[in-house]
Amino acid sequence: MLRILLRQGNAIQIKPAQKHYSTVQIDEVWSFVGQRKKGKYWLFYAYSAEYDKILTYTCGSRSATTLQTLLRKLQGVNIDQYCTDYWKAFAKILPTEKHRIGKAYTKNIEGVNTCLIARNKRLVR
């Protein structure tokens, strides 16, 4: 499965089913790339707890550029608020008036992360 993700990760498209979401949680997990475990491959994704759906995702480095790629995939979707952890790039890029920061706002996506990690030992928080 990881080979498919590495080869075709960003080519596969998941599009949000709704045009409006009251709350979207965004987080990232990473995996080792290659046998030597030197490179990290980051999976950023947007999750709606309201609909229990992953809305979209993108793969790449842990950078503001990868986050911007994820947000471009959410263009055309009206989102009332974004919920994230304390990573600085979230605060820089997301609109301040719509951004909620803290574990209290991301408990659902953290639960999804736990499930992903439990099912794929190569994924890490």
Side-chain angles (χ1 to χ4, degrees):
M1 178 167 154
L2 186 60
R3 285 189 184 149
I4 293 169
L5 185 62
L6 290 172
R7 225 179 335 177
Q8 299 177 346
N10 283 323
I12 300 167
Q13 295 292 317
I14 296 176
K15 294 187 179 185
Q18 309 294 109
K19 291 294 179 190
H20 176 260
Y21 293 92
S22 58
T23 303
V24 171
Q25 298 175 29
I26 299 175
D27 204 10
E28 74 282 347
V29 293
W30 60 272
S31 179
F32 294 111
V33 176
Q35 296 297 324
R36 297 177 191 236
K37 298 183 179 181
K38 288 184 181 178
K40 290 182 182 178
Y41 190 73
W42 291 87
L43 168 67
F44 281 73
Y45 68 103
Y47 175 76
S48 168
E50 179 181 10
Y51 293 98
D52 192 26
K53 299 274 184 200
I54 292 176
L55 306 180
T56 192
Y57 74 95
T58 192
C59 302
S61 62
R62 187 172 193 242
S63 67
T65 303
T66 306
L67 176 58
Q68 288 170 331
T69 301
L70 179 76
L71 294 175
R72 274 195 299 276
K73 291 181 175 187
L74 291 171
Q75 280 182 339
V77 178
N78 183 14
I79 298 171
D80 294 338
Q81 62 181 340
Y82 297 91
C83 300
T84 69
D85 59 20
Y86 294 95
W87 185 43
K88 291 178 187 177
F90 290 135
K92 277 186 183 178
I93 295 172
L94 294 171
T96 306
E97 68 280 358
K98 292 184 170 190
H99 190 197
R100 306 291 175 260
I101 302 170
K103 294 292 181 185
Y105 301 110
T106 59
K107 76 175 188 181
N108 300 101
I109 199 166
E110 294 295 344
V112 174
N113 287 348
T114 300
C115 289
L116 289 172
I117 291 165
R119 287 173 172 81
N120 186 336
K121 293 180 182 180
R122 291 187 65 104
L123 290 174
V124 183
R125 283 188 193 211

